[in-house]
Amino acid sequence: MIKLYLLLLIIVTTSFDSKAKQCSVNFNYGVIIDPNHIRMTEKGITVVQINGESQLFVEGIQQTLSIEQQSLISQFSLGIRSQVPEIVSIAIEGVDIGLKAVNKAIGSLTGENSAAQQKIQTKFDELKWRIRTRFNQSANNYYIAPQDFNDFADIFTGEFEQEIEEIISDSIGTILLAVGEAMISDDSDSPGSEKRISTFDERIETMGKDLELEVSASTNALANKAEQFCLQLSELDKIEHEIQHSIKSLKRFNLIKTN
């Protein structure tokens, strides 16, 4: 069972650690988005706010903007509104890949829609809901803390890693119970008992190889998605540089930093 525990843990952590490791982009401020505003925050205080697409406030003072400056702010606003939800999508998808793999493993060992699988699925659903609410407080409302995106795993695993490991540990206990009951019902004292245990180990080996292939394909696709996200942020950083050059009051408020 230690082998099974390690297998499930590796599957989940692999799904976390395969995304955009070369994404050299930082957010220097927190970002809060709702349908009408974009706010950059520092220690809980709003330092820059965009109302609608082009009305700009810097430290609470509305800025008078030319048509060209309004156009730049509008481009930046639309870009932020597009990319911040993408961060949430990538984070949730990364979690989902690992948890689906674990759930599939449980189903293959205890039976699809078994009580064991349903028990773990409920915990997975609760975890994904909490991760989503970590970023997406309600419909069309998002919050991202100041952070870098060198490793997408750092966005959420620090907060949820222990809970994920506990779910996997509980999965092992649930599988043990289900398999033990199956062996008892098959008369585990019979001469075929050792053969059933050997067959169970073989199933774990085969299942592990199948899941590794499945997870690898999914994480490669997600890595491409994350790479595109990083490229889009880099392009948005160029627009921000234009804004800072044009609007002097924004010069010291640099949200996006690319290395």
Side-chain angles (χ1 to χ4, degrees):
M1 277 302 155
I2 292 176
K3 182 191 295 185
L4 179 56
Y5 174 81
L6 292 175
L7 170 64
L8 297 182
L9 193 58
I10 288 170
I11 287 169
V12 173
T13 54
T14 296
S15 72
F16 290 159
D17 293 338
S18 298
K19 276 94 57 200
K21 288 179 178 292
Q22 303 305 314
C23 184
S24 300
V25 180
N26 301 346
F27 268 15
N28 293 322
Y29 298 89
V31 178
I32 300 172
I33 296 177
D34 64 42
N36 299 314
H37 312 90
I38 294 174
R39 291 190 285 144
M40 288 167 45
T41 64
E42 184 176 37
K43 298 180 180 178
I45 298 173
T46 298
V47 290
V48 176
Q49 179 168 315
I50 302 172
N51 295 345
E53 290 187 6
S54 58
Q55 188 181 52
L56 176 67
F57 289 81
V58 179
E59 296 185 297
I61 300 173
Q62 184 173 355
Q63 306 298 297
T64 301
L65 304 178
S66 67
I67 298 298
E68 182 182 354
Q69 290 170 334
Q70 289 180 41
S71 177
L72 286 171
I73 292 294
S74 179
Q75 290 179 57
F76 186 73
S77 171
L78 291 172
I80 290 293
R81 286 190 180 279
S82 170
Q83 293 308 309
V84 167
E86 192 71 5
I87 300 170
V88 180
S89 173
I90 290 169
I92 294 296
E93 194 171 339
V95 173
D96 214 30
I97 289 170
L99 298 189
K100 280 181 178 177
V102 172
N103 200 34
K104 185 173 181 178
I106 295 169
S108 69
L109 294 171
T110 66
E112 292 292 334
N113 298 316
S114 65
Q117 188 185 35
Q118 290 178 15
K119 176 183 177 183
I120 300 302
Q121 182 62 53
T122 297
K123 291 191 175 184
F124 287 166
D125 290 342
E126 291 173 353
L127 175 61
K128 285 190 289 184
W129 180 83
R130 282 195 293 278
I131 291 174
R132 184 174 294 280
T133 55
R134 160 72 170 77
F135 302 105
N136 188 187
Q137 301 299 324
S138 59
N140 300 315
N141 288 261
Y142 297 90
Y143 169 70
I144 299 293
Q147 61 196 280
D148 67 71
F149 301 107
N150 286 322
D151 188 346
F152 274 80
D154 292 341
I155 300 176
F156 52 88
T157 51
E159 186 173 348
F160 296 101
E161 191 168 15
Q162 183 177 353
E163 186 172 356
I164 290 166
E165 291 183 3
E166 287 174 359
I167 289 177
I168 293 174
S169 296
D170 196 16
S171 301
I172 301 303
T174 301
I175 292 171
L176 267 175
L177 183 61
V179 173
E181 289 174 350
M183 287 184 173
I184 290 172
S185 66
D186 288 341
D187 187 8
S188 60
D189 292 330
S190 66
S193 178
E194 290 185 6
K195 183 177 180 180
R196 282 194 296 274
I197 293 172
S198 176
T199 300
F200 181 70
D201 285 340
E202 290 174 4
R203 286 173 66 191
I204 291 176
E205 292 284 352
T206 302
M207 177 192 67
K209 292 177 182 178
D210 291 342
L211 288 177
E212 284 175 6
L213 289 173
E214 183 178 322
V215 168
S216 178
S218 297
T219 53
N220 286 339
L222 189 56
N224 291 333
K225 183 177 179 179
E227 183 179 357
Q228 288 302 310
F229 161 79
C230 291
L231 290 173
Q232 292 294 330
L233 275 190
S234 295
E235 290 301 312
L236 201 54
D237 186 38
K238 294 177 183 177
I239 296 174
E240 186 178 36
H241 283 164
E242 288 186 54
I243 290 172
Q244 290 178 307
H245 180 73
S246 177
I247 304 173
K248 301 305 180 185
S249 60
L250 284 178
K251 191 168 184 178
R252 68 187 184 91
F253 295 108
N254 185 45
L255 172 62
I256 303 170
K257 178 182 178 183
T258 55
N259 299 319

